[in-house]
Amino acid sequence: MSRGEEPIYSEYETDTSQTSKLIRKFKETPFVPIGMAGFVAVVGYGLYKLKHRGNLKLSLHLIHMRVAAQGFVVGAITCGVLYSVLQDYVLKPKQ
């Protein structure tokens, strides 16, 4: 890089700690941590209910738990995409 040029990703290079990078990413895409937290919550609840599943087979219980966790993550991703489209195209001030 020559002296007169600025780096293309200067705002990304200034963050040196992993925590600041993580916080910046969470601010850019707020539905990612929501999806991760929901996934952990569904899996935790499923593991808690594992003892009280009744006559339900273990494999069927695990399949239900996996589908519920994946559904929560897909729902969070969909909400994030809709939020991004809303911010970029609907609420964006016209120039």
Side-chain angles (χ1 to χ4, degrees):
M1 193 166 26
S2 64
R3 290 190 168 188
E5 298 178 15
E6 286 185 33
I8 295 173
Y9 301 106
S10 62
E11 69 182 55
Y12 294 103
E13 292 175 0
T14 58
D15 291 335
T16 56
S17 71
Q18 292 294 326
T19 307
S20 63
K21 288 180 183 179
L22 188 64
I23 290 171
R24 179 181 45 82
K25 278 305 239 185
F26 283 171
K27 286 180 181 177
E28 289 176 0
T29 55
F31 287 95
V32 170
I34 294 170
M36 291 168 45
F39 177 81
V40 169
V42 168
V43 169
Y45 180 74
L47 291 175
Y48 173 74
K49 294 300 262 183
L50 190 62
K51 286 188 174 185
H52 307 289
R53 69 181 187 270
N55 292 334
L56 192 64
K57 289 185 178 180
L58 177 64
S59 61
L60 192 58
H61 176 75
L62 293 176
I63 289 172
H64 288 167
M65 188 173 63
R66 180 191 64 115
V67 168
Q70 284 180 333
F72 195 93
V73 170
V74 168
I77 290 171
T78 303
C79 290
V81 168
L82 291 174
Y83 176 77
S84 176
V85 167
L86 181 72
Q87 290 292 331
D88 290 345
Y89 297 108
V90 176
L91 300 177
K92 184 178 179 181
K94 297 185 181 189
Q95 297 174 346

